[in-house]
Amino acid sequence: MTTQPVTVTLQDNIYEAAVKMKDNDTGFIPVVDFEDGHTLIGVVTDRDLVIRGYAEKHSGSTSVDKVMTTGIRCASQNTSVDEAAELMASQQIRRLPVTDGKKLIGVVSIGDLAVRNIFADNAGEALSDISEQHRLH
């Protein structure tokens, strides 16, 4: 799991989110509450920026709330690696926020699962399931 992931708030715009993605080599940025900096309220993906942002002709100064995904699936700090891989496969997601209540404590990615040799089969199966589902669209 990546602890202390890069985040944005609703005060950030889509240009700032894109720059953070570029600077941190990621395509996924959690959106947290501005007041406490920890409460997860959504996520912005590189796909969100393209589909809901630029393809809809929003400028870079558009607030992230116009493009973010809400109602996202999360894991708790007690979720096992197997359970996380299964959830990622069943929900067709490549990154899974990890929370303690509503507080963001990290993000698990398919890559995180794959680097753990003991769980390589689960990560591979999850990635395979995700990839197969995307081909159907």
Side-chain angles (χ1 to χ4, degrees):
M1 170 176 82
T2 300
T3 58
Q4 300 178 342
V6 174
T7 62
V8 295
T9 72
L10 295 179
Q11 293 188 334
D12 291 308
N13 60 45
I14 61 177
Y15 171 78
E16 292 164 327
V19 169
K20 283 187 177 188
M21 285 181 188
K22 176 183 173 251
D23 290 348
N24 293 280
D25 192 27
T26 186
F28 179 93
I29 300 219
V31 181
V32 295
D33 182 78
F34 175 75
E35 296 294 320
D36 66 19
H38 299 289
T39 302
L40 181 66
I41 57 177
V43 300
V44 175
T45 66
D46 46 6
R47 189 171 193 276
D48 292 335
L49 291 176
V50 172
I51 303 298
R52 295 185 192 142
Y54 300 116
E56 295 293 325
K57 298 185 179 182
H58 288 291
S59 71
S61 61
T62 300
S63 175
V64 297
D65 72 323
K66 299 292 185 195
V67 300
M68 76 177 184
T69 299
T70 58
I72 55 173
R73 294 291 188 143
C74 297
S76 77
Q77 58 188 347
N78 299 321
T79 302
S80 72
V81 175
D82 290 334
E83 291 169 329
E86 187 175 310
L87 179 61
M88 293 167 81
S90 69
Q91 297 297 309
Q92 304 172 35
I93 54 179
R94 297 175 191 275
R95 300 167 197 98
L96 183 65
V98 180
T99 58
D100 180 6
K102 294 182 179 183
K103 179 183 175 183
L104 177 68
I105 58 173
V107 175
V108 173
S109 71
I110 288 290
D112 293 330
L113 297 178
V115 298
R116 302 271 313 261
N117 290 338
I118 192 167
F119 300 111
D121 289 341
N122 292 346
E125 184 178 326
L127 183 56
S128 177
D129 289 348
I130 292 167
S131 297
E132 281 182 30
Q133 295 294 333
H134 283 279
R135 281 190 229 135
L136 296 176
H137 295 289

